Amino acid sequence: DKPIQNMQAQWHPELNAWIADMSASNGTFLVFGTFQAINRHRAFQTVSDQLEFPGGIEPEIKALDQPDLPQDVNGAKAWDLGLSMWKEAVLGPSSKQQYAFFYAVTSSMAQAQDVARQARQPGNPEFWFNQTRTAYQTWVQKGQPVNTPDSGLSKAYVEALITDKQSQQPQFGSFVAATNPAYGFKVWARDSSVTALGLAASGHLDEAIKYYRWMASVQEDGSRDKFPPGTWDTTYSYWFEKKQVPFAAPEDDSLGLFMIGVYQTWRLLNQQNPQAAREFLTGSFPRVGQGPTTVYEAVTRSADYIA
């Protein structure tokens, strides 16, 4: 990992968006913008990146609570920054107001600016809501439908599938246990195995394959105390491909769920495409330390450890 360096944020009025340059630390640029006109935009230094979110931004919240609106802050540079947009709204009885924002992570400033322009080009957020709705409907229809006379259960099933799909790390395939920041964005090897197993059973094999390949690739290689070859840590970071997060370890309940999940995914895939099923088991990925290089090798190591 690169050492953490100062990030730099700048307000772009032509885009109605913030762009934060974090490339010195992780090579990324964060875009955070809005579709509506706003009253204020402010960048501010947080109290500490070691505090929970409310505590870290408490001084800025107090500034916004003053009778006079604070001045715009168009840019800032610091170890850790907060970005805010502020809008005053007066609501009468039974009235409502809706605001929509967009954000993205890119690998260059040019990409960040292009994303903001593309987001705002349709002129209203409804375009993107419709695009998203259509994309998820298409994805759900590719899976295995569940027939039940209970319409509420059918709706809950679809919503659960979409929630699982949204929680998958797009780069390497792990599942975050909760999207609420209070839970620390942990990936539980055990829980995620069940999530992937459910997606496989629902006919969404690509997502299950991606997860089990990731889980196999981060299997312990015996170089750490209390984690023999064929085992896993309890929780991992959602943001980094192989970064253990300390929590109640070791727990061995992920081993059997991994093997069951791999078998069921292979079985369902083999019914459709035997060649793809073989590739799922034997396709190689980069070795980490002395870890496995295929899903089949990871299964074998887990079975040997259990035996």
Side-chain angles (χ1 to χ4, degrees), residues 1 26 28 30 103 105 166-172 174-176 178-181 183-187 214 236-245:
D1 296 342
N26 56 29
T28 64
L30 174 72
Y103 69 93
V105 177
Q166 290 175 331
S167 70
Q168 186 165 35
Q169 222 283 357
Q171 184 178 356
F172 30 84
S174 58
F175 293 96
V176 69
T179 55
N180 188 323
Y183 290 90
F185 299 106
K186 290 195 266 302
V187 174
W214 169 81
Y236 294 83
S237 168
Y238 182 71
W239 308 112
F240 300 93
E241 189 165 5
K242 183 177 181 179
K243 182 178 181 181
Q244 297 90 355
V245 177

Side-chain angles (χ1 to χ4, degrees), residues 33-159:
T34 178
F35 290 91
Q36 295 87 8
I38 57 172
N39 297 117
R40 291 289 185 271
H41 54 268
R42 292 173 57 80
F44 59 94
Q45 188 169 355
T46 62
V47 175
S48 168
D49 60 356
Q50 301 302 312
L51 294 177
E52 294 292 336
F53 179 76
I57 66 170
E58 183 176 358
E60 183 67 12
I61 294 175
K62 289 181 177 178
L64 294 174
D65 285 339
Q66 300 305 311
D68 296 326
L69 293 181
Q71 296 300 309
D72 289 337
V73 179
N74 293 316
K77 183 177 182 179
W79 178 280
D80 190 33
L81 289 174
L83 305 177
S84 68
M85 287 175 278
W86 194 89
K87 175 70 175 178
E88 185 175 20
V90 178
L91 298 179
S94 302
S95 64
K96 62 182 180 179
Q97 182 67 47
Q98 180 171 306
Y99 297 94
F101 305 88
F102 59 88
Y103 69 93
V105 177
T106 69
S107 56
S108 73
M109 176 62 75
Q111 287 180 346
Q113 293 170 329
D114 286 344
V115 163
R117 279 191 286 267
Q118 291 172 23
R120 289 176 52 79
Q121 187 174 8
N124 64 78
E126 287 302 325
F127 173 84
W128 297 113
F129 290 135
N130 291 332
Q131 289 283 99
T132 303
R133 186 179 299 109
T134 300
Y136 277 114
Q137 287 174 344
T138 301
W139 176 79
V140 169
Q141 290 168 2
K142 290 181 179 179
Q144 179 70 32
V146 170
N147 297 316
T148 170
D150 187 332
S151 60
L153 186 59
S154 298
K155 181 180 179 181
Y157 169 72
V158 171
E159 291 180 349

